[in-house]
Amino acid sequence: MAQLDDLRKQISLVESDLDEGLLGLTDQQTLETFRIEFLGRKGRIARLFKVLGELDADARAEAGRLLNALKDHANTAFDKCRDKLQIVTLEGRITKEKVDLTLPGVYRSLGHLHLLTQVQQEIESIFLRMGFDVATGPEIESEYYNFEALNIPEDHPAREEWDSFYIDGSHLLRPHTSPVQIRVMEQTDPPVRIICPGRCYRRDTQDATHSPVFHQVELLWVEEGLSLANLKYVIELFVREFFGEGYKMRLSGDFFPFTEPSVQVHMRSRGSSDWLELGGAGMVDPAVLTNVGYDPEKVTGFAFGFGVERMAMLRYGIDDIRTFLINDLRFIEQF
Ligand code: DAH
């Protein structure tokens, strides 16, 4: 019996040490150390269980009950303490990590379409509203579509105007979008009403107004009874839509093998005295219509090819064509 009394005392000592100790704990880590001290395999409670073997049968039953009760108590007490500490830690974090609504937000910049793409899309939408379709053609083009079909035979001196990058003996990077006219007319019976925006390549030395890569927008309208007056009207309408009222345009005589008569289109803002060339235009040469199987006695047509960079430069006051290609964010982000 003396042994059992002794065990009771030890049990109540362990229990009060445990209860008091738990009260003083403030973090999960010391809680775990403390738990091992009491409930670990060699902890204080496990050591008390060892006494069982030394007791006689009656006392052992009672001691076993007492020890199990102690173990249960310890387990529950630790669980409770762990829950309490978790809440305390969470509350601590919540008060510490307050959101300061007066701080400026984090700026995440979003990408956007390049100015040239925006301009191209705007041009497309203007002509779509006027009833034109958008056509495309390959950037690597054959000499036939690029020259011959456009009434520029092999030995024609005008070929030099389109100083080109050749891929092989008879294919080149297209120096203008005019070959798309031929491709479309070959596929469609008149009436034809298309525009074709796209990239062009020329062996030009770079400077403020020349770039070996640039964009054009080609227009072609073929139908019965079209005249130069219709061409002038369409260009004027477009110029007013794209540039607004503050601009003037002027047509002057020119020569292109694929148009007759041919004109040059110039623009200037009302405040300025400098005329800037937008591109060429004219009535489609009967030889070109014949090349695609149209009857020039029945239908006539007109066309133009304008520089897209030129239009953007004029509208936004950009004075160097190279700015479009160098990807300087200070430029790109302005539009
Ligand atoms: N293709 C010509 C060039 O790049 C521009 C041009 C002139 C296009 C007259 C046309 C046109 O459609 O009718 O210089």
Side-chain angles (χ1 to χ4, degrees):
M1 270 307 146
Q3 273 176 317
L4 197 56
D5 283 341
D6 192 39
L7 185 64
R8 277 207 179 87
K9 270 189 212 135
Q10 289 192 50
I11 287 178
S12 75
L13 184 68
V14 168
E15 197 173 294
S16 60
D17 280 356
L18 177 93
D19 289 345
E20 263 170 52
L22 283 179
L23 283 179
L25 288 184
T26 52
D27 66 277
Q28 303 277 2
Q29 243 166 355
T30 32
L31 173 72
E32 183 56 15
T33 328
F34 200 64
R35 197 189 63 80
I36 292 168
E37 186 189 331
F38 284 85
L39 281 167
R41 255 187 326 118
K42 292 178 183 162
R44 285 175 71 177
I45 294 177
R47 285 205 298 273
L48 288 184
F49 269 90
K50 292 232 167 81
V51 181
L52 283 182
E54 298 158 16
L55 298 178
D56 51 47
D58 287 351
R60 198 185 296 157
E62 173 65 4
R65 203 184 49 77
L66 292 172
L67 283 169
N68 277 327
L70 172 67
K71 205 171 155 187
D72 287 347
H73 170 76
N75 275 321
T76 328
F78 273 108
D79 286 349
K80 261 199 205 138
C81 186
R82 182 178 297 122
D83 291 350
K84 193 187 79 191
L85 285 181
Q86 258 165 8
I87 292 171
V88 171
T89 328
L90 192 67
E91 280 173 347
R93 269 181 50 201
I94 290 172
T95 30
K96 243 199 312 180
E97 296 173 8
K98 255 203 215 119
V99 178
D100 182 353
L101 294 175
T102 64
L103 282 176
V106 183
Y107 174 69
R108 290 197 177 79
S109 71
L110 276 180
H112 66 278
L113 295 178
H114 190 275
L115 175 61
L116 276 181
T117 314
Q118 294 179 37
V119 164
Q120 185 173 310
Q121 289 184 349
E122 195 180 331
I123 295 170
E124 284 176 16
S125 81
I126 292 173
F127 282 108
L128 284 169
R129 286 202 296 276
M130 287 193 220
F132 286 78
D133 287 329
V134 176
T136 53
E139 289 177 25
I140 294 177
E141 192 49 283
S142 72
E143 282 192 313
Y144 175 76
Y145 286 106
N146 196 68
F147 293 125
E148 268 111 66
L150 286 164
N151 199 31
I152 318 171
E154 178 148 19
D155 51 355
H156 198 292
R159 277 205 188 190
E160 282 165 25
E161 268 188 54
W162 293 276
D163 199 359
S164 313
F165 294 106
Y166 272 81
I167 301 292
D168 59 30
S170 59
H171 291 85
L172 61 161
L173 291 175
R174 68 176 180 201
H176 55 176
T177 41
S178 300
V180 183
Q181 290 187 25
I182 306 296
R183 290 183 174 274
V184 171
M185 286 192 284
E186 277 183 350
Q187 302 290 322
T188 345
D189 288 330
V192 166
R193 210 181 298 147
I194 56 115
I195 62 155
C196 164
R199 212 172 280 151
C200 304
Y201 305 82
R202 279 188 207 178
R203 277 171 41 194
D204 275 337
T205 312
Q206 282 200 23
D207 61 25
T209 52
H210 293 90
S211 163
V213 187
F214 60 100
H215 297 75
Q216 282 188 341
V217 56
E218 189 84 11
L219 173 139
L220 174 72
W221 185 347
V222 184
E223 203 170 332
E224 279 174 37
L226 292 176
S227 74
L228 200 65
N230 301 116
L231 167 63
K232 187 163 179 251
Y233 178 77
V234 166
I235 297 179
E236 255 167 9
L237 202 62
F238 166 67
V239 163
R240 204 175 329 127
E241 288 280 308
F242 183 76
F243 291 98
E245 297 293 341
Y247 289 84
K248 283 193 91 58
M249 63 159 269
R250 153 186 109 174
L251 302 183
S252 49
D254 202 347
F255 171 78
F256 298 103
F258 34 91
T259 43
E260 182 57 38
S262 306
V263 292
Q264 224 175 71
V265 185
H266 282 93
M267 291 264 321
R268 71 165 193 211
S269 60
R270 277 195 213 281
S272 151
S273 57
D274 299 332
W275 291 97
L276 194 94
E277 189 194 327
L278 276 191
M283 299 306 293
V284 180
D285 195 290
V288 174
L289 296 175
T290 310
N291 285 341
V292 298
Y294 286 7
D295 181 355
E297 297 296 324
K298 275 207 192 126
V299 289
T300 49
F302 58 78
F304 71 57
F306 290 168
V308 178
E309 281 85 352
R310 293 255 167 111
M311 291 193 253
M313 287 166 84
L314 196 64
R315 179 158 136 179
Y316 296 103
I318 298 161
D319 55 12
D320 194 324
I321 195 171
R322 290 166 291 195
T323 8
F324 290 108
L325 285 177
I326 54 179
N327 282 339
D328 185 336
L329 286 179
R330 289 168 304 176
F331 171 78
I332 289 175
E333 284 174 353
Q334 285 180 51
F335 304 99

